[in-house]
Amino acid sequence: MLSLRKVLAVAAASAVAAVGSIAVTGQASAAAGCRVDYTVTNQWQGGFGADVRVTNLGDPITGWDVRFSFGAGQRVSQLWNGSVTQSGAEVSVRNAGWNGALGTNGTTSFGFNGAFTGTNPAPSAFTLNGVACTGAVTPSGSPTTSPSATPSQSPRPTTTPTSGPVTGSAAQLVADLGKGWNLGNQLEANINGMPSETAWGNPVVTSALIDRVKAAGFRTIRIPVSYLGKIGSAPSYTVDAAWLSRIQEVVDLAYDRGLHVIINMHGDGYKSVAGSWLICDASGQDTIKDKYQKVWQQVASRFSGYGGRLILESMNENFDGQYGAPTQPCYSNINAYNQVFVDTVRRTGGNNTSRWLLVPGWNTNIDYTTGSYGFVVPTDQYRSSAIPSSERRLMISAHFYDPWDFTGTESGAITQWGPNATDAARKSTWGQQDFMDAQLKKMHDTFTVNGYPVFIGEYGSIDKTSSDPANNRFRADYARTLVATAKKYGAATAYWDNGHNGQYGFALFDRSSATVTQQGIIDAIMGS
């Protein structure tokens, strides 16, 4: 949802907190060396992708520095899951801020894109924290150079996740997600296409806010993210390192507190946003898909070591901008984006081979996702072989804001909802409790019964107490009924909070003071 996200957008952007590279400190030597598996995952004219998997055969370490030499003049152009320096043939890769700890027999991995001329032999020797690897160095994958100017889409070999595969059934996942909350109008905020978490009037996200959200009873935080002007030029489409680091910092504020976290690609698909590019009816779809693939490769690689409490969501409300029936081939392109997303995330390895992935249909609309309008659930052919064949690892996303004249229209005309309404003139003629039940049942009957969990990633209603002092009571009724109905049909939910309190705001908290502003709505959600 975008139209209400920018209700109180301010004209001037505040600076985004930038995070530079993190120096490795307190490293312990690896007493007995390491073992390395070096895999060329794809190769094209003048370039290649590689995956390096390192197993520590010595004492536990708190930070790592892996070094090796190229034998034919290769150069690293882009690396994920670490930071790289290269001098001539000598390459040093240090851990990222989140993956430095490596126990005895523990495994870490990093990947990179590189350039070469002539031949592309694998390095023959590696060191871990200055100690030579004593286990075998196993090079694998030497694909024939293709005349194609872009990387091939050959699958990355299956790898064993660092901390074991993500486990748990669909029903267990929904139970674990519990009641969720959106950190809206923050990391998807932007000015003229340049993301900034303070651009739309909210303060920098703090640990105090996340503590308050958790204390209120929420167990999942969905973090919408825009990339837009933080994406570099073709062909690498490198995402600004400081922006990726800030995204990771905000994720960690929630993840490190034991919460489930969902991150997506949000504003890049809105025609109304400057710099948007993930547009399903635009020309140049091959270029769009290539850019989409490379951005998600970087994001997914950054988070490949996180456990199952992190869920990646392919995009937000992607459609052609009109609210009539879906058009073709626009819907086909949305399906293609979802497929590129699933394939790309899986190929980054680590826990991404088994984590739950979330995909939407047309504009996250229930009718256009469940009906015969063209939605196709992606295939999941590159997932970990450790996942039982009877289990899914894909979720379906939908949003619910019906009836819009109650939930979103910025007017004081319709302020009441549900069977407790006291003024028929203030109640919408449609979209009541029976409609809500029927809509969520459609998701259940189409997806949940077939093993695909459903996530109602946004719902809520704006504050119209300036027109009707009783409005908050009906906002609470609406939230209570939505969450209860979703629970009835085996779906998880996340309330949309845009950080704005007062007229037409969605907020449940004051983000500056980290205090609750709508305890009644929170109580209704938690009591469902």
Side-chain angles (χ1 to χ4, degrees):
M1 182 180 137
L2 176 67
S3 60
L4 288 173
R5 287 193 169 99
K6 297 175 69 176
V7 165
L8 291 187
V10 296
S14 299
V16 178
V19 180
S21 58
I22 299 174
V24 177
T25 59
Q27 291 182 339
S29 295
C34 61
R35 183 178 69 249
V36 173
D37 297 293
Y38 180 99
T39 302
V40 175
T41 56
N42 50 58
Q43 187 165 295
W44 58 98
Q45 186 173 10
F48 68 103
D51 180 77
V52 182
R53 185 175 180 78
V54 183
T55 302
N56 177 27
L57 301 179
D59 297 333
I61 57 177
T62 57
W64 49 263
D65 181 358
V66 174
R67 302 195 178 197
F68 58 93
S69 298
F70 282 126
Q74 301 102 314
R75 301 286 303 180
V76 175
S77 58
Q78 175 190 14
L79 183 136
W80 48 91
N81 291 355
S83 59
V84 62
T85 57
Q86 182 171 355
S87 177
E90 304 300 317
V91 179
S92 170
V93 180
R94 290 193 168 196
N95 61 274
W98 51 269
N99 63 353
L102 194 58
T104 302
N105 295 319
T107 299
T108 191
S109 63
F110 58 87
F112 64 87
N113 289 329
F116 74 99
T117 56
T119 60
N120 183 27
S124 59
F126 291 77
T127 63
L128 174 64
N129 292 358
V131 178
C133 290
T134 55
V137 176
T138 308
S140 62
S142 298
T144 303
T145 300
S146 165
S148 170
T150 57
S152 70
Q153 295 299 312
S154 56
R156 177 188 293 266
T158 300
T159 58
T160 303
T162 302
S163 58
V166 175
T167 59
S169 66
Q172 186 61 55
L173 173 69
V174 170
D176 290 343
L177 289 171
K179 283 97 174 186
W181 176 84
N182 275 271
L183 183 64
N185 279 25
Q186 290 274 195
L187 297 189
E188 87 279 24
N190 74 89
I191 287 183
N192 295 324
M194 186 58 64
S196 166
E197 70 183 282
T198 59
W200 290 351
N202 281 312
V204 170
V205 181
T206 64
S207 59
L209 172 64
I210 305 305
D211 285 337
R212 178 63 64 185
V213 172
K214 180 178 179 180
F218 292 101
R219 295 173 59 183
T220 295
I221 295 183
R222 180 175 179 258
I223 304 173
V225 180
S226 288
Y227 298 90
L228 297 167
K230 297 293 187 180
I231 304 171
S233 59
S236 61
Y237 299 110
T238 302
V239 179
D240 179 75
W243 185 238
L244 271 180
S245 293
R246 181 55 184 160
I247 293 167
Q248 186 174 0
E249 282 187 338
V250 176
V251 167
D252 288 348
L253 288 176
Y255 190 87
D256 291 349
R257 285 161 170 77
L259 297 168
H260 283 69
V261 182
I262 298 170
I263 59 173
N264 69 359
M265 181 180 288
H266 208 82
D268 298 63
Y270 286 122
K271 290 183 177 182
S272 58
V273 170
S276 60
W277 54 274
L278 190 67
I279 307 300
C280 67
D281 60 345
S283 59
Q285 285 294 316
D286 288 344
T287 299
I288 289 172
K289 291 166 188 172
D290 180 48
K291 184 175 181 178
Y292 182 67
Q293 187 272 330
K294 287 176 178 173
V295 172
W296 264 119
Q297 182 182 53
Q298 295 168 70
V299 175
S301 296
R302 174 68 69 110
F303 292 101
S304 64
Y306 284 61
R309 286 188 288 104
L310 177 69
I311 294 170
L312 305 180
E313 180 181 18
S314 62
M315 59 189 129
N316 191 53
E317 296 162 348
N318 202 302
F319 69 128
D320 66 2
Q322 57 83 33
Y323 289 91
T327 57
Q328 296 291 341
C330 195
Y331 211 147
S332 295
N333 288 328
I334 291 173
N335 289 331
Y337 302 158
N338 279 333
Q339 189 63 65
V340 168
F341 163 76
V342 172
D343 290 347
T344 299
V345 172
R346 294 294 188 227
R347 289 173 180 174
T348 58
N351 286 334
N352 287 339
T353 65
S354 57
R355 79 170 68 257
W356 286 94
L357 304 179
L358 182 60
V359 296
W362 181 276
N363 197 26
T364 62
N365 178 280
I366 289 177
D367 288 325
Y368 297 150
T369 304
T370 60
S372 300
Y373 294 93
F375 176 68
V376 177
V377 178
T379 61
D380 198 6
Q381 58 185 323
Y382 302 123
R383 71 183 202 165
S384 169
S385 59
I387 301 171
S389 59
S390 60
E391 291 185 10
R392 311 290 189 187
R393 281 295 185 275
L394 300 179
M395 306 173 64
I396 310 301
S397 174
H399 297 171
F400 196 89
Y401 289 107
D402 293 329
W404 184 249
D405 51 5
F406 170 74
T407 64
T409 299
E410 296 179 7
S411 160
I414 303 300
T415 60
Q416 300 186 11
W417 181 90
N420 295 322
T422 58
D423 186 344
R426 289 185 173 274
K427 178 179 174 180
S428 179
T429 58
W430 72 288
Q432 302 303 305
Q433 209 162 347
D434 55 346
F435 178 85
M436 181 185 288
D437 189 281
Q439 291 297 93
L440 294 185
K441 186 177 187 298
K442 290 177 184 177
M443 294 296 289
H444 172 270
D445 293 350
T446 304
F447 301 113
T448 306
V449 297
N450 291 309
Y452 297 102
V454 169
F455 184 66
I456 306 301
E458 294 183 18
Y459 73 92
S461 56
I462 60 176
D463 187 336
K464 300 182 182 182
T465 53
S466 59
S467 299
D468 181 354
N471 173 243
N472 278 340
R473 175 155 56 93
F474 302 106
R475 296 175 69 202
D477 286 348
Y478 182 88
R480 179 188 299 106
T481 307
L482 186 284
V483 174
T485 306
K487 183 177 180 180
K488 170 184 172 182
Y489 289 117
T493 58
Y495 177 89
W496 177 256
D497 187 323
N498 66 357
H500 171 48
N501 286 282
Q503 187 176 27
Y504 305 142
F506 276 99
L508 303 181
F509 303 90
D510 182 317
R511 296 186 187 178
S512 295
S513 61
T515 56
V516 172
T517 59
Q518 293 289 348
Q519 189 64 54
I521 297 176
I522 293 174
D523 289 344
I525 292 169
M526 296 307 157
S528 299

